[in-house]
Amino acid sequence: MIYFDQAASSFPKPPEVGKAMIHALNEVGANPGRGGHKLAKEAADIVVETRERAARIFGCSDPRHALFFANATAALNQAIKGLSWSEGDHVIATTFEHNSIRRPLEYIKKQFGVHVTYLPWNQDESSFIQEVKQSINENATLIVMTHASNVTGEVIPIEQTALIAEQYHIPVLVDASQTAGHIPINMREMNIDMLAFPGHKGLLGPQGTGMLLVNGEFEINPLMHGGTGSFSELPDQPSQWPEKLESGTLNTPGIAGMNAALVCYENRNHENVPRETMLTQTLLKGLKQLDGVSCYGSDQQKLRMPMVAFNVLDIPSQEIAMVLDSHYDIAVRAGLHCSPLSHKTLSTTDQGVVRASLSMYNTEEEVEQFLQAVQEITESYKLL
Ligand SMILES: Cc1ncc(COP(=O)(O)O)c(C=O)c1O
């Protein structure tokens, strides 16, 4: 099997990830922060170490503000729905948002009468920044944006956007689901106030993990209330972080796996262009040479995330993905990728796109086999 569906969930993982999870499950087992015995302390140490590591890597000033969630969606929901909204507040996002941002935004729109502007990504950084500036009004309360499109892999100029937001004192929430693990992110240096990401994509951690990192003193209301293992005498949710926003038993084996993934990430050589980026360039170049194949996304960006969106003739993308799976044993994702507005922008709503996404574990040989398969498929559809 050639696994080119890394943007959905990465596979395989570094062996250290599984080892750490099995250790947490079989050797530690206890509930972190719920008891004073040795095993509970060991479990709590795993959690604290992971918080500290994530905070260090992503430039979050206070590890207590590095919060664990089940995935990026839960982290984004907490950040968006946890803010105090008033009628007329204005949120700025892009047409590239995944439904894990768009649906919470649509929810607060209906629930509280918030206005949302979805700025189209027009592949030109300076005109995009101009649009951001123009869309800021006196009611602008939040800028929330994906760091990179999960359809085309194009990177949104978050740093420049956050600079403008700072001038207007508007907080910035970034969805780093497709960038964390692929490109360096430092919240402090990039003026990002809140950063959400999953553990299971580019960071190569396990499913069931995600984080929200918060810099600064934001008033975020919890979506969940319950046991925190501390302040048990209080009837109300404690105001201390992380307890305030983390009710219930944490996913300790998952967090242990994520910690191991973060260690591997820290140990990688960040000077070099990541292997998956180079492979993606070869893949994109090869696909562009095939007559009958259309590729989507800007050619101008040096920094594109390791995925390629394409279509074969006018064949539904799902059909191409099915042929790749059944005849060639190649896993890709097709359709709308939970981001319908992206497809409106790309004019691919009916056909969807085939998305091939890579990780550092993919190889040149796999890219060659993939190109050969797409060429054969294209030629055979041309004969029909
Ligand atoms: C840009 C983006 N945001 C959010 C998500 C949601 O991630 P999760 O499934 O971990 O909640 C995804 C998943 O594909 C994504 O690509």
Side-chain angles (χ1 to χ4, degrees), residues 188-350:
R188 267 190 306 271
E189 288 168 11
M190 296 167 77
N191 288 310
I192 296 171
D193 302 286
M194 292 174 272
L195 184 79
F197 55 84
H200 66 100
K201 296 184 195 270
L203 287 169
L204 307 177
Q207 293 181 0
T209 58
M211 291 192 87
L212 175 67
L213 272 47
V214 180
N215 267 350
E217 296 306 317
F218 282 97
E219 200 43 59
I220 301 182
N221 302 306
L223 301 186
M224 299 278 287
H225 299 82
T228 55
S230 58
F231 310 101
S232 297
E233 68 286 1
L234 298 178
D236 295 325
Q237 195 71 6
S239 56
Q240 281 80 356
W241 293 48
E243 289 92 335
K244 180 180 178 183
L245 299 167
E246 280 181 356
S247 287
T249 301
L250 289 169
N251 172 11
T252 314
I255 292 170
M258 183 150 170
N259 192 26
L262 291 173
V263 171
C264 295
Y265 174 75
E266 274 185 316
N267 291 339
R268 260 174 251 155
N269 182 352
H270 297 285
E271 298 290 303
N272 295 340
V273 178
R275 173 194 170 79
E276 63 271 24
T277 306
M278 292 194 295
L279 288 175
T280 308
Q281 283 162 1
T282 311
L283 177 60
L284 184 59
K285 201 167 151 212
L287 283 174
K288 285 195 159 173
Q289 282 166 0
L290 298 180
D291 182 42
V293 172
S294 319
C295 295
Y296 302 91
S298 165
D299 277 344
Q300 307 306 319
Q301 277 199 335
K302 280 196 208 101
L303 195 68
R304 281 227 350 223
M305 292 303 98
M307 66 189 79
V308 176
F310 69 96
N311 272 320
V312 172
L313 305 165
D314 58 356
I315 311 299
S317 58
Q318 306 278 16
E319 193 172 318
I320 301 299
M322 206 179 67
V323 176
L324 282 167
D325 182 39
S326 55
H327 291 260
Y328 295 93
D329 213 15
I330 296 175
V332 291
R333 173 126 184 244
L336 300 185
H337 312 90
C338 302
S339 185
L341 292 181
S342 303
H343 290 275
K344 223 168 156 188
T345 313
L346 297 169
S347 307
T348 49
T349 301
D350 292 337

Side-chain angles (χ1 to χ4, degrees), residues 48-79:
V48 170
E49 190 182 315
T50 314
R51 263 191 232 290
E52 288 173 351
R53 194 178 304 286
R56 186 167 68 239
I57 291 175
F58 294 103
C60 175
S61 305
D62 185 347
R64 289 170 303 178
H65 287 213
L67 308 164
F68 292 109
F69 292 92
N71 44 47
T73 304
L76 287 163
N77 266 266
Q78 175 59 77

Side-chain angles (χ1 to χ4, degrees), residues 47 60 122 227:
V47 171
C60 175
N122 49 13

Side-chain angles (χ1 to χ4, degrees), residues 149-202:
S149 161
N150 67 311
V151 179
T152 63
E154 285 164 283
V155 177
I156 304 291
I158 287 295
E159 237 172 310
Q160 296 93 311
T161 303
L163 262 185
I164 295 164
E166 206 200 7
Q167 287 162 17
Y168 290 88
H169 308 291
I170 305 166
V172 174
L173 164 63
V174 172
D175 173 5
S177 293
Q178 294 298 342
T179 49
H182 294 303
I183 47 174
I185 302 171
N186 187 301
M187 296 174 71
R188 267 190 306 271
E189 288 168 11
M190 296 167 77
N191 288 310
I192 296 171
D193 302 286
M194 292 174 272
L195 184 79
F197 55 84
H200 66 100
K201 296 184 195 270

